Amino acid sequence: MKYAVYTKWRWSDGVPDPSHLQSVMRVYRDNYGKDFPPEEVLWWKIDENHHQAVIIYPSEEIANAERSKLEEARSKSSQDNNNVMVEEFVGPIVMQLTAL
């Protein structure tokens, strides 16, 4: 069963432009090479100081195995970008329209 990690972030200096956010994710992805575990990562801007994100993993086991690397990347991002996670929810995906 696929597994999702949803987060909401506050950027004290404002949400950066999309090219900056893309470069952050590109570095994270490229550190893995061909073994990048998520199936999908989506980020969207809510307002000038907040963005939300969802990461889709193929399974809970893969998400759990990835957890320490994810937390390390989050910590570095918070230090480098003056942002903080506001909330996080995780759980199994119970329905995916494209999989029906």
Side-chain angles (χ1 to χ4, degrees):
M1 180 175 286
K2 292 184 181 186
Y3 202 73
V5 177
Y6 154 84
T7 54
K8 180 178 179 181
W9 295 82
R10 182 178 195 296
W11 297 73
S12 296
D13 302 326
V15 175
D17 62 72
S19 64
H20 174 77
L21 298 175
Q22 291 167 10
S23 69
V24 169
M25 184 52 59
R26 193 172 287 118
V27 167
Y28 185 69
R29 178 202 62 198
D30 291 349
N31 284 337
Y32 279 96
K34 63 181 174 134
D35 297 323
F36 187 59
E39 289 184 358
E40 186 64 84
V41 178
L42 300 169
W43 292 4
W44 60 98
K45 184 176 178 178
I46 305 169
D47 59 36
E48 293 307 311
N49 291 95
H50 296 88
H51 96 271
Q52 291 175 306
V54 66
I55 304 172
I56 307 299
Y57 291 100
S59 69
E60 182 176 3
E61 293 75 27
I62 291 172
N64 289 338
E66 165 72 358
R67 190 67 186 190
S68 65
K69 289 180 184 178
L70 181 62
E71 288 177 2
E72 182 179 321
R74 288 173 173 174
S75 177
K76 182 173 179 357
S77 176
S78 290
Q79 292 171 5
D80 293 349
N81 297 296
N82 200 20
N83 63 14
V84 63
M85 184 169 44
V86 176
E87 62 186 12
E88 177 184 48
F89 299 97
V90 299
I93 295 175
V94 296
M95 195 292 298
Q96 181 180 354
L97 181 61
T98 56
L100 296 179

